[in-house]
Amino acid sequence: MNGLTVADGAGAPVRAVRQGAVLAVTCLALATVVSAMASLNVALPDIARETHANQTQLSWIIDAYSLIFASFLLLAATLGDRFGRRKALLGGLGLFAGVALAATFATDPDVLIALRAVLGIAAAFVMPATLSTITSTFPRAQQARAVSIWAAVAGASAVLGLLASGAVLEAEDFKSSETVVTL
């Protein structure tokens, strides 16, 4: 896809936009939030062991993200439209990265539930910002193709999240079983 020259309000060219780079960055951001939604299901047994969470808490660890994400999606999209999709995307990704890092160190199930809820808020800002960035960057003739790629990445990211978390857990189990005492 070729670069597109964006014009300011007076019609003067402002900058060239690299559509391929925009599509790649927005799809990577989308893949991050979608894979986070699906990947935790594989890790539930390990989470239960590490946090001593009961069944209700495990359900909330999984569902807090999706519930809060769905609840805040329209509000986050509206705020992104009002204050700028770039701010919404970067702010959402920054919050997502920080909270995801904090969640890796959480040992209390209630803290993990709260962190997953905040991840859902962050994801609610990221997802609509990626789609609106694509639709505003690409000319109408190329929008259907770009949105199709965006949707394919969303679907594939759920599967990739499951596979990646399974691979990480399997590597961790292999590493643990590799420690054998020999006399």
Side-chain angles (χ1 to χ4, degrees), residues 69-83 121 124-125 128:
F69 170 77
S71 299
F72 279 83
L73 191 59
L74 289 176
L75 175 63
T78 302
L79 292 173
D81 287 344
R82 175 163 289 207
F83 298 110
I121 294 170
F125 279 91

Side-chain angles (χ1 to χ4, degrees), residues 101-133:
L101 181 63
T104 61
F105 299 108
T107 57
D108 180 66
D110 294 327
V111 170
L112 192 52
I113 292 167
L115 290 172
R116 292 283 295 169
V118 175
L119 281 172
I121 294 170
F125 279 91
V126 172
M127 186 175 268
T130 60
L131 185 57
S132 65
T133 298

Side-chain angles (χ1 to χ4, degrees), residues 43-53 58 173:
L44 272 183
D46 289 322
I47 291 170
R49 269 192 305 277
E50 295 293 322
T51 64
H52 306 289
L58 289 172
D173 287 344

Side-chain angles (χ1 to χ4, degrees), residues 37 40-41 43-45 47-48 51-68 109-110 112-114 116-117:
M37 203 175 308
L40 209 59
N41 291 306
L44 272 183
I47 291 170
T51 64
H52 306 289
N54 62 38
Q55 190 60 43
T56 302
Q57 290 169 320
L58 289 172
S59 293
W60 275 108
I61 289 169
I62 294 293
D63 296 336
Y65 182 93
S66 301
L67 179 66
I68 298 299
D110 294 327
L112 192 52
I113 292 167
R116 292 283 295 169

